[in-house]
Amino acid sequence: MKKYTIFLLLLCFVAPIWAQFDEDEDYILEDTVALADSIPAHLPWPQNVQARLDSLLADPLLETTQLGLMVWDLTADSALYCHHHRHSMRPASTMKLVTAITALDHLPSDHVLTTSLYRKGEIAGATFTGDLYVVGGMDPLFDIGDLRDFVYELRHLGIDTLKGRLVADVSMKDTLRWGEGWCWDDKNPTLSPLLVGKKANFLERFAAELKRSGMVTDSMTLDTGRRPGGAVMLTSCQHTIDQLLLPMMKESDNLAAEALFYQLAACYGNRPARAIHARTLEKQLATHLGLDTRNFRFADGCGLSLYNYVSPQLLVALLRHAWLKPHIYSHLLPSLPIAGIDGTLEKRMCRTAAQENVRAKTGTLTGIISLAGYCTAANDHQLCFAIINQGVLHAGSAR
């Protein structure tokens, strides 16, 4: 009796502290784990895992939320578990899987995001008279160090005075700065083809760096326009798709996802590239996989839009497609967060069988929690899965 009283006192002390944890962190719900562990261990594969999933679907949370779930056994190439897997649901950031897999399906493996500097004019002594053109390729990885390399190239030519214009060529994409269906009061990135440090103030930053380097720029004006024929390229900065995928998937960087979305939109020569060009290719891939695209709506590349609607079945079909295509899977898998290790899964599923096993893209919006990716089962079968739970008021409960 004394031990029982001590236990109750400890419980009363711990419970309020437990309630203060950030709901975005994952904690093992012991009653749920116990429920799943109550399934008879003697059941054969796959009945064992199916029974365990059935038991989890008895959670009271699902009385007030909507769950879509699909698990596909890649090794056996068959559906392992389905629950409302065809329902149209908002994906949150698992939309980035749609963007990444479609882009990797269409873009060449050596595709790069390029920002280039051109000149058209004359150099007389140490003075350049004419126009400098900066052509943007929507590279969110272009940073202040890359910008200073551009300044260095001008100084390397012996130039210390600029007379003319510094022109931004942003013709790579349309002029829309936000994605369709983005909330006005959200932390939205600016969708510009010319970026430095993820900001769309390229010319101002460039002019400031030129001045900081000691160049005379009093006669230089800032402008926008298209690079003319005959302009000479001075230098360029390039980043690979793999470099872009890491922040896009590991950290769920929305600007990186939109940059890849517009690389996809522009991949067949569309100028300016528009969101509809990328959406068309996404729909074509879904159709190729045997799905009815009338059940989906693709709005943006990152999942911020309230207009995105997919299904767990679509996400699983894309993950299976990627697994079957080495030129996609070899780029996609290293970019996905690893449970308990890095990215948006660094603090999730720790000290469980999922740690270092699950590689998946997370998704979080108000009312939406999703997860889709790959794992290895206890019998060494490779699985892919998609989970979308919407109508969730407390993210921690859904996770």
Side-chain angles (χ1 to χ4, degrees):
M1 180 63 69
K2 184 177 181 181
K3 291 181 178 179
Y4 182 71
T5 303
I6 292 173
F7 173 76
L8 287 177
L9 288 172
L10 285 172
L11 184 61
C12 292
F13 175 74
V14 170
I17 298 176
W18 185 273
Q20 293 176 24
F21 280 125
D22 186 340
E23 69 176 11
D24 288 342
E25 300 294 341
D26 259 15
Y27 299 96
I28 299 174
L29 301 178
E30 293 183 358
D31 55 343
T32 303
V33 174
L35 182 63
D37 286 342
S38 67
I39 303 302
H42 61 78
L43 285 177
W45 176 272
Q47 287 79 18
N48 180 281
V49 69
Q50 290 165 345
R52 289 166 65 87
L53 288 170
D54 280 340
S55 72
L56 292 174
L57 292 185
D59 193 293
L61 175 71
L62 301 183
E63 295 175 6
T64 57
T65 66
Q66 302 83 50
L67 174 70
L69 166 65
M70 188 173 191
V71 185
W72 190 271
D73 187 330
L74 293 164
T75 304
D77 201 19
S78 61
L80 179 62
Y81 196 88
C82 298
H83 177 80
H84 296 163
H85 61 296
R86 293 193 179 95
H87 283 201
S88 298
M89 310 178 82
R90 287 170 56 197
S93 280
T94 55
M95 189 68 194
K96 293 180 174 71
L97 284 170
V98 180
T99 303
I101 293 171
T102 308
L104 290 169
D105 199 44
H106 284 275
L107 295 170
S109 59
D110 59 351
H111 179 83
V112 292
L113 292 78
T114 305
T115 305
S116 303
L117 177 64
Y118 291 80
R119 69 173 175 88
K120 188 164 188 180
E122 300 297 330
I123 300 175
T127 300
F128 172 75
T129 303
D131 297 328
L132 294 174
Y133 293 87
V134 189
V135 182
M138 200 167 181
D139 180 3
L141 303 180
F142 189 97
D143 60 20
I144 191 65
D146 299 317
L147 188 61
R148 287 170 181 167
D149 288 342
F150 277 20
V151 174
Y152 173 81
E153 289 297 324
L154 289 170
R155 296 306 303 259
H156 186 67
L157 293 174
I159 298 171
D160 63 15
T161 303
L162 296 171
K163 293 182 178 180
R165 297 185 303 159
L166 179 58
V167 184
D169 184 337
V170 291
S171 60
M172 178 260 188
K173 69 173 291 292
D174 58 25
T175 58
L176 297 177
R177 293 302 181 97
W178 280 12
E180 180 184 353
W182 288 7
C183 294
W184 66 269
D185 58 346
D186 210 341
K187 295 179 180 178
N188 299 310
T190 302
L191 305 183
S192 170
L194 263 181
L195 299 161
V196 55
K198 299 184 180 181
K199 303 295 184 182
N201 58 349
F202 195 103
L203 289 189
E204 292 79 2
R205 296 284 294 279
F206 196 7
E209 286 300 317
L210 289 168
K211 187 173 183 179
R212 191 185 69 85
S213 73
M215 281 198 179
V216 178
T217 59
D218 296 342
S219 299
M220 185 180 67
T221 58
L222 308 183
D223 203 355
T224 58
R226 299 196 67 163
R227 171 179 62 89
V232 177
M233 189 172 77
L234 296 174
T235 188
S236 67
C237 175
Q238 297 181 333
H239 290 104
T240 66
I241 290 182
D242 286 333
Q243 289 175 300
L244 184 67
L245 281 172
L246 283 175
M248 171 181 169
M249 307 301 274
K250 293 283 190 186
E251 306 302 331
S252 205
D253 187 295
N254 292 322
L255 182 57
E258 291 302 315
L260 186 58
F261 187 64
Y262 279 95
Q263 303 303 309
L264 174 63
C267 71
Y268 294 113
N270 297 307
R271 289 293 187 280
R274 305 180 189 278
I276 192 172
H277 299 140
R279 293 175 198 145
T280 299
L281 296 177
E282 290 173 339
K283 288 181 179 179
Q284 288 176 359
L285 179 55
T287 300
H288 173 72
L289 297 177
L291 301 175
D292 187 348
T293 58
R294 291 176 298 180
N295 298 323
F296 313 129
R297 182 165 183 183
F298 306 138
D300 64 9
C302 66
L304 279 176
S305 176
L306 301 181
Y307 302 157
N308 289 313
Y309 279 92
V310 305
S311 69
Q313 182 185 33
L314 170 65
L315 295 177
V316 163
L318 288 168
L319 289 165
R320 176 182 177 271
H321 178 69
W323 189 76
L324 291 171
K325 303 289 184 181
H327 72 279
I328 301 177
Y329 191 69
S330 62
H331 295 277
L332 178 67
L333 188 67
S335 74
L336 293 174
I338 305 172
I341 300 298
D342 65 13
T344 53
L345 287 180
E346 181 180 4
K347 297 180 181 180
R348 294 174 60 177
M349 308 180 219
C350 299
R351 299 177 298 281
T352 71
Q355 182 166 338
E356 298 188 57
N357 181 353
V358 168
R359 293 175 179 244
K361 183 70 201 76
T362 58
T364 305
L365 280 176
T366 300
I368 308 291
I369 296 294
S370 55
L371 186 71
Y374 302 97
C375 68
T376 302
N379 66 345
D380 289 330
H381 279 213
Q382 299 299 304
L383 310 179
C384 65
F385 63 89
I387 309 164
I388 303 176
N389 199 344
Q390 63 183 21
V392 180
L393 298 182
H394 302 288
S397 300
R399 292 191 178 115

